[in-house]
Amino acid sequence: SLRYSLEQVPFVREILHSSHSSLLQNIHENLEDPSHLSTSIVRALVDDPPLRASDGNLFRIGYHKELDDLLDIRKNGKDWIAKYQSQLKEETGIKTLKIGFNNVFGYYIETSRAQAQLVPENFIRRQTLANSERFISPVLKEYESKVLHAEERISSLEQSLFSQLRQEVSAHAELVKKIAKALALIDSLSSLAELASMNNYSRPLVDESSILDIQEGRHPVIESQISCENFIANDCLLDNENQQMMLITGPNMGGKSTYIRQVALICIMAQIGSFVPAKSAHIGIIDKIFTRVGASDNLSRGQSTFMVEMTETANILHNTSSKSLVILDEIGRGTSTYDGISIASSVSEYLLNTNNKKAKTLFATHYWELTQLESIYKNIKNYHVAVKEDADRIIFLHKILPGCAN
């Protein structure tokens, strides 16, 4: 697997070399050519090795002489015996000579008793029978030893060679990690680029301003599920002066939660260097994004829905800054209506009034009473999700418009 991955690197380097992007050029400079490493793996391992090293048949023929000989013995044992038998017949002139094998003596050379005197002096007599003599030669003895121990030696040798190969590769661990890091960055960038091209994303302007201006923004996940053509795009304009907080009212299913989440996602995408699902976006750098969305409890810690909600809200108020983005979804619903309205109102006023805490805020709520804050503070504006009432049914238009819900 490492070999097949490394073999792609030269092609990637060639593509990056022709790029005019300074970022890609920098990646190219850090993406070293690993051909020497992939070549050493190619030279050693077969193209399709088994899943486990212990299964054997890992190495190419020609990689190691002893292993080649052992594999040849295992594969061509009968051919070697036949060839050696023919050689002995020719050398001794004994036409009836034959090589046999039994479990008691192993391999042996058999001749008739009448021709036994023709065998070479270095042959060792193993057995005398009524009509024949059995011998073993130094060459056959050596071959027998190889055959009997071939399987065991093959397994041992392959494990040893594989261990050596791993050590050789691990000596280049830093190179492999450096290449992996560069390829991961290329993978991320190319994925973001492909996504931007497929879904008609635009390049955001990210600067040090306090502006958050998104024109025709879309939720990147939801639009992929319902198709771009059917998703209703919405604008968002926030700053630290005239429109620091958008208070959004309207019925369930109208799109409040989707809207505030998509704004947060667009900001995150812009600040990781991605194009964004919007016609245009101007985003002043945001230091933190805080969310208080969803109703949940933590019973294992003895925390009710209300306790979780208040703990998360306290964390927001303690840690937010004027460069933060806060999205609040129906805060205060974990308790009674009037207590909930009081909490939601207090949180809103704190974010609107407190120096260095005036975070850009999207607040979706059912508490219609909160819309009165617009008449008190200049930096909060009311918005609502548009619906159309038609006879006995309601049509959700999913459009965020100025003003409060009726």
Side-chain angles (χ1 to χ4, degrees), residues 8-62:
Q8 307 307 313
V9 173
F11 302 111
V12 177
R13 293 181 81 250
E14 187 177 341
I15 294 169
L16 294 179
H17 182 66
S18 60
S19 171
H20 298 295
S21 162
S22 58
L23 177 58
L24 295 182
Q25 285 287 353
N26 184 55
I27 296 174
H28 175 265
E29 292 171 7
N30 286 289
L31 191 62
E32 297 181 32
D33 187 349
S35 297
H36 61 287
L37 182 54
S38 59
T39 300
S40 67
I41 299 174
V42 171
R43 187 171 58 86
L45 298 180
V46 297
D47 291 332
D48 189 21
L51 292 175
R52 297 179 301 180
S54 58
D55 289 343
N57 298 317
L58 301 173
F59 293 93
R60 291 183 186 276
I61 299 300

Side-chain angles (χ1 to χ4, degrees), residues 370-383:
L370 293 182
T371 59
Q372 298 173 23
L373 291 173
E374 186 184 63
S375 62
I376 304 173
Y377 301 101
K378 67 168 187 173
N379 48 342
I380 179 172
K381 295 292 185 289
N382 289 325
Y383 284 82

Side-chain angles (χ1 to χ4, degrees), residues 112-120:
S112 64
R113 297 191 68 176
Q115 294 180 307
Q117 71 274 12
L118 297 177
V119 303

Side-chain angles (χ1 to χ4, degrees), residues 207-213 236-241 243-246 263 267 271 282-290 316 320-328 351-352 357-363 379:
D207 58 20
E208 296 283 354
S209 70
S210 61
I211 297 292
L212 174 51
D213 184 5
C236 178
L237 178 59
L238 291 170
D239 57 38
N240 289 104
E241 301 297 331
Q243 192 160 299
Q244 177 204 328
M245 183 181 292
M246 291 174 61
V263 171
C267 292
Q271 289 192 197
H282 179 186
I283 299 171
I285 290 176
I286 293 167
D287 61 356
K288 295 180 281 285
I289 294 179
F290 293 99
I316 294 172
T320 191
S321 78
S322 296
K323 293 188 72 68
S324 302
L325 173 65
V326 176
I327 62 172
L328 303 172
L351 292 171
L352 290 167
K357 297 283 187 178
K358 295 182 178 181
K360 289 181 276 289
T361 304
L362 296 171
F363 194 161
N379 48 342

Side-chain angles (χ1 to χ4, degrees), residues 324-377:
S324 302
L325 173 65
V326 176
I327 62 172
L328 303 172
D329 195 0
E330 299 184 35
I331 191 173
R333 63 180 168 178
T335 186
S336 65
T337 301
Y338 290 109
D339 287 348
I341 292 172
S342 300
I343 292 167
S345 179
S346 298
V347 169
S348 300
E349 293 190 65
Y350 182 87
L351 292 171
L352 290 167
N353 278 329
T354 310
N355 290 332
N356 300 320
K357 297 283 187 178
K358 295 182 178 181
K360 289 181 276 289
T361 304
L362 296 171
F363 194 161
T365 183
H366 284 306
Y367 294 140
W368 190 84
E369 293 84 351
L370 293 182
T371 59
Q372 298 173 23
L373 291 173
E374 186 184 63
S375 62
I376 304 173
Y377 301 101

